[in-house]
Amino acid sequence: MLDLLIKNATVVTMNKRREILRDGAVAVQGDRIVETGAAAELVKKYPDVKKTIDAAGKAVFPGLINTHNHLFQTLLKGLGDDKVLSDWLAQMTFPSAVHLTPEDTYYGAMLGCIDGIRSGTTTMLDYMYPHPQPGLSDGIIKAFRELGIRGVFGRGYMDTGVEFGVQPGIMQDVATIEKDARRLLEEYHHADDGRLQIWLAPAAVWSNSRESLEMTARLAKEYNTGITIHISETPFDREAARQLHGYWDIDVLEKLGLMGPNLLMVHCVHLTPKDIRMAKYFDAKVSHNPVSNMYLSSGVPPIPRLVEAGVTVSVATDGAGSNNSNDMLEVLKFTALLQKVHHTDPTIITAEKVLEMATIDGARALGMEDRIGSLEPGKKADLFIFNPAAAAKAVPMHHPVSTLVYSSSQANVETVIIDGRIVMENGILTRVDEREMLKKGQQAADDLSRRAGTYHLKDRPWRSLAY
């Protein structure tokens, strides 16, 4: 007996032929897709089904893949508005990070992942870099597991950088970092039937010593896992890396053995043509965070040049402290519009390419393209059902990809399935009490802002201009 059959839908497969099946169906057994095809044929082929979803008038998409986040920052929404990156870090983010508790990271992750699931996100990479006390990683992992999301937890760290503004309270020595990273890898890597992974995430080249970066390369090889790191987000990142290490940030990675197919470089706003060639040569991947780059006025990454060079580019929200949401649907639209207006060329990027970046390219960036990123037989059943009639913004739906990228909202994301399990059905989360989580998340955010001394930012004076 088949576990699940979604029928009568427009199925956007994202397979190699990029087929869109009108009046299509998706058959799911356990955690895997067993078949896609015409609804009439699959209904006839699978007469015995435990659960059938009639998705007439709706579309089915592969789950969106968010390749960069700082989920603890969900508690910081709205406190860091109208600041450049250096002030945003020094005045709001670092002071908050020093006072984090495991309960904070749990509720931050809960809020962020709920927001993500409601926007069709099925895979989330969290990049947890401040560790002022033990147990912060475990709070986030607990939220991943309770929600059932496919989670990549990046164990972040910094062991230097005081001269560049890093607060000593969130720094750790290399021995402490390695010990805890090993603990997480041993306990959680590939847990929950492979739904959970542990990566290594040095915060930036300029906030990690040579010893720390060499440890990262060694540990990643030992555990056969991924590495993610902020690269060239601003000119400061490049210059600070050169002051500390004697080379630009991407050159440091190459010299210390971190460049490779398992490296995911985040932001990459200020890459040079040589940097792009290096990324392609080493098959390093990129995570593009357009909303954050605009929010902090970091600049516009050379996405078309990266794509033309054959570099895998994925997309992400970044932390809600520099985005104010975890909504991947916003990211889709801004990914397209940012490049169009920057290049004054409406053809520079298409809706179809944006969806590739959020699905199959995101899977490739995480080394999971054999498991997720498209709706194909043998792949994990990670998908969402999109109902255009749930909100006027998405009606009419002529081309499903265009509607998703340019005309959608969270109201249109009706049902979300991860690993073959329904985590949201008809707009209702199935694994947690959402209302209770939102209430407790607000309380955690208020308590953190009081401890961190950022509570005054809630009642900042009205500013028509930011100076």
Side-chain angles (χ1 to χ4, degrees):
M1 178 178 287
L2 190 71
D3 286 331
L4 174 66
L5 181 66
I6 304 170
K7 65 179 184 179
N8 303 325
T10 298
V11 181
V12 182
T13 66
M14 298 307 296
N15 63 16
K16 290 183 180 179
R17 297 185 301 278
R18 300 295 189 261
E19 290 178 298
I20 297 178
L21 309 176
R22 306 284 179 173
D23 295 318
V26 180
V28 175
Q29 186 69 45
D31 62 352
R32 302 277 177 173
I33 296 168
V34 295
E35 193 169 357
T36 62
E41 294 178 6
L42 267 61
V43 167
K44 184 177 180 179
K45 184 174 180 178
Y46 300 102
D48 296 321
V49 183
K50 291 181 181 178
K51 184 177 180 67
T52 299
I53 298 176
D54 189 340
K58 303 170 186 178
V60 180
F61 292 93
L64 303 182
I65 300 169
N66 186 344
T67 59
H68 184 69
N69 206 334
H70 307 291
L71 284 166
F72 81 88
Q73 289 183 12
T74 308
L75 302 181
L76 311 182
K77 289 180 185 178
L79 295 178
D81 294 347
D82 313 317
K83 299 180 187 295
V84 297
L85 178 60
S86 57
D87 290 341
W88 177 87
L89 286 168
Q91 298 173 17
M92 189 275 294
T93 307
F94 284 161
S96 300
V98 170
H99 292 274
L100 286 172
T101 68
E103 185 177 61
D104 293 332
T105 60
Y106 170 75
Y107 285 115
M110 267 292 179
L111 293 180
C113 289
I114 288 171
D115 194 11
I117 288 169
R118 286 199 164 278
S119 66
T121 302
T122 56
T123 300
M124 179 84 73
L125 188 155
D126 185 54
Y127 193 129
M128 180 60 193
Y129 58 86
H131 293 273
Q133 64 169 289
L136 301 185
S137 301
D138 303 82
I140 293 165
I141 291 169
K142 179 183 177 184
F144 278 168
R145 302 180 91 174
E146 290 183 5
L147 280 164
I149 201 164
R150 192 173 302 282
V152 178
F153 179 78
R155 206 296 185 180
Y157 41 89
M158 297 173 274
D159 75 320
T160 189
V162 173
E163 67 270 39
F164 304 121
V166 177
Q167 292 200 6
I170 58 175
M171 291 167 52
Q172 294 178 303
D173 62 80
V174 176
T176 299
I177 294 167
E178 180 173 355
K179 181 180 179 181
D180 191 54
R182 286 184 179 277
R183 176 187 71 85
L184 293 168
L185 285 159
E186 294 288 346
E187 187 170 351
Y188 296 118
H189 196 37
H190 300 305
D192 297 349
D193 298 319
R195 203 165 50 250
L196 186 61
Q197 291 192 22
I198 304 298
W199 279 29
L200 302 171
V205 171
W206 53 266
S207 63
N208 280 269
S209 66
R210 180 187 183 102
E211 181 187 5
S212 176
L213 295 173
E214 288 178 337
M215 178 274 293
T216 301
R218 172 171 47 81
L219 211 57
K221 184 176 181 180
E222 180 180 343
Y223 284 91
N224 189 28
T225 195
I227 303 168
T228 185
I229 187 169
H230 298 89
I231 291 294
S232 295
E233 183 175 1
T234 66
F236 162 80
D237 291 277
R238 298 177 66 82
E239 184 57 38
R242 190 170 71 164
Q243 288 183 37
L244 182 64
H245 295 281
Y247 302 95
W248 305 123
D249 47 8
I250 200 168
D251 293 317
V252 175
L253 299 183
E254 188 272 330
K255 293 179 183 301
L256 299 184
L258 279 78
M259 290 292 288
N262 67 329
L263 177 69
L264 178 60
M265 303 187 297
V266 183
H267 294 302
C268 299
V269 176
H270 297 278
L271 296 186
T272 66
K274 177 193 172 188
D275 296 336
I276 294 172
R277 292 195 301 272
M278 287 177 65
K280 171 59 179 175
Y281 178 82
F282 287 102
D283 193 23
K285 315 303 194 296
V286 170
S287 175
H288 173 40
N289 297 235
V291 178
S292 175
N293 294 158
M294 289 188 285
Y295 181 92
L296 294 172
S297 67
S298 300
V300 182
I303 301 303
R305 280 186 286 167
L306 284 160
V307 171
E308 289 168 2
V311 177
T312 296
V313 181
S314 61
V315 290
T317 57
D318 205 349
S322 63
N323 179 312
N324 287 10
S325 85
N326 293 275
D327 189 340
M328 279 288 284
L329 297 175
E330 285 187 350
V331 169
L332 299 184
K333 188 168 186 174
F334 282 121
T335 296
L337 298 187
L338 178 60
Q339 295 298 324
K340 291 175 186 290
V341 70
H342 178 70
H343 293 278
T344 60
D345 180 358
T347 70
I348 198 72
I349 192 169
T350 64
E352 288 84 354
K353 183 57 192 175
V354 171
L355 184 57
E356 288 177 357
M357 293 163 72
T359 55
I360 192 63
D361 290 341
R364 191 170 293 114
L366 300 180
M368 298 185 194
E369 65 270 29
D370 61 333
R371 284 164 278 170
I372 60 174
S374 60
L375 303 180
E376 298 181 80
K379 286 201 171 183
K380 293 284 191 175
D382 288 12
L383 56 90
F384 66 95
I385 299 174
F386 181 91
N387 182 4
K393 184 179 180 181
V395 178
M397 182 173 75
H398 292 302
H399 191 288
V401 178
S402 176
T403 299
L404 182 74
V405 173
Y406 295 122
S407 305
S408 66
S409 70
Q410 290 190 5
N412 300 114
V413 178
E414 188 171 80
T415 295
V416 177
I417 298 171
I418 303 173
D419 233 18
R421 301 185 297 179
I422 298 174
V423 299
M424 186 174 80
E425 186 169 20
N426 295 321
I428 305 297
L429 291 170
T430 63
R431 297 174 64 87
V432 298
D433 183 336
E434 181 177 5
R435 185 172 296 181
E436 183 68 14
M437 287 299 169
L438 299 185
K439 178 182 177 181
K440 291 183 176 179
Q442 179 68 58
Q443 292 172 349
D446 289 340
D447 291 344
L448 175 61
S449 66
R450 289 189 184 94
R451 295 196 307 273
T454 60
Y455 203 78
H456 67 282
L457 296 173
K458 292 172 172 280
D459 299 315
R460 60 178 181 258
W462 188 275
R463 298 173 298 174
S464 296
L465 295 174
Y467 57 85

